[in-house]
Amino acid sequence: MTTGMDQTDRARPAPSVRPMRADARRNYERLLTQARAAFAEHGTGASLEDVARRAGVGIGTLYRHFPNRHALMSAVFEDAVNDLLARSRALLADPQPCSALVAWLRDIITHAGEYRGLSRALMSASHDASSALSRCSTPMREAGQALLSRAQRAGAVRADVSIGDLLQLTNAIALAAEETPDDPELADRLLRLTLRGITAG
């Protein structure tokens, strides 16, 4: 894969939200479990047909629950995103606003590194409000903005730095680290270089 998307990623409309029957809920949970395993093993470009087969359902059932790959990815990463959002809220109490921002960006890089292809998909979806991944990126952007604004008010980060650019840089660092697995220190070095560019003074 090059973008982490199927041909149907933008073609299928989002399903209406309504309570699931017990059997549908079981299928949904099995699909999520198998998708997590497949993404961890093969990256976010893992075959959706294989995910459905491993869950014991047909591909049509998968698409009824998740109309495209990004919708499935959004559901798979919901818990991790919630953890990152909780972490951002806790870091708002850190007495060092710049250090808090850096710690959170490092957490994002660590999370993105758990699934090959995730950082690329997040970069491609960052300016696409129609992507199901915007369910992840929008609250993450708001959380990051709170940390960034706090660091800017403290005079630690330049006023012209935007959270959109900062998250794109963070995803790019995660992608670079993914493509260079034999250099485990690369992500931290690149993050430090980025911070030198955004630090006030």
Side-chain angles (χ1 to χ4, degrees):
M1 97 163 171
T2 57
T3 63
M5 290 187 281
D6 288 343
Q7 293 293 325
T8 53
D9 271 2
R10 292 189 175 87
R12 296 174 184 270
S16 58
V17 177
R18 57 189 168 204
M20 289 189 203
R21 300 188 317 270
D23 58 337
R25 169 59 65 179
R26 286 192 296 271
N27 287 340
Y28 179 90
E29 296 297 342
R30 281 201 300 267
L31 285 164
L32 275 183
T33 297
Q34 295 304 324
R36 287 190 187 99
F39 288 170
E41 184 177 355
H42 302 294
T44 57
S47 164
L48 298 189
E49 287 80 5
D50 185 53
V51 170
R53 181 186 58 77
R54 290 164 66 163
V57 301
I59 188 64
T61 297
L62 184 149
Y63 279 126
R64 278 196 295 277
H65 287 289
F66 308 103
N68 52 55
R69 183 180 298 274
H70 278 186
L72 179 57
M73 289 171 63
S74 179
V76 165
F77 304 134
E78 184 175 356
D79 287 344
V81 168
N82 286 337
D83 289 343
L84 287 168
L85 294 177
R87 172 76 166 142
S88 74
R89 291 190 291 271
L91 285 168
L92 287 172
D94 192 299
Q96 299 295 327
C98 189
S99 297
L101 175 63
V102 173
W104 192 65
L105 296 177
R106 190 171 279 116
D107 287 344
I108 292 176
I109 292 171
T110 299
H111 162 58
E114 293 175 0
Y115 296 95
R116 190 172 68 255
L118 175 57
S119 53
R120 189 187 301 274
L122 290 172
M123 290 175 72
S124 72
S126 63
H127 300 296
D128 182 4
S130 68
S131 169
L133 277 177
S134 65
R135 285 178 50 197
C136 298
S137 62
T138 298
M140 288 285 287
R141 184 180 296 257
E142 293 170 353
Q145 183 61 60
L147 289 168
L148 173 60
S149 296
R150 185 167 174 261
Q152 288 171 325
R153 287 194 301 271
V157 174
R158 286 169 28 194
D160 61 344
V161 175
S162 74
I163 190 58
D165 288 348
L166 199 51
L167 288 175
Q168 283 289 72
L169 282 169
T170 301
N171 283 321
I173 290 171
L175 179 59
E178 175 186 308
E179 297 293 330
T180 319
D182 57 344
D183 186 355
E185 304 301 321
L186 178 63
D188 208 53
R189 291 202 311 273
L190 293 177
L191 182 57
R192 288 199 301 269
L193 284 172
T194 299
L195 295 170
R196 290 175 193 167
I198 70 170
T199 303

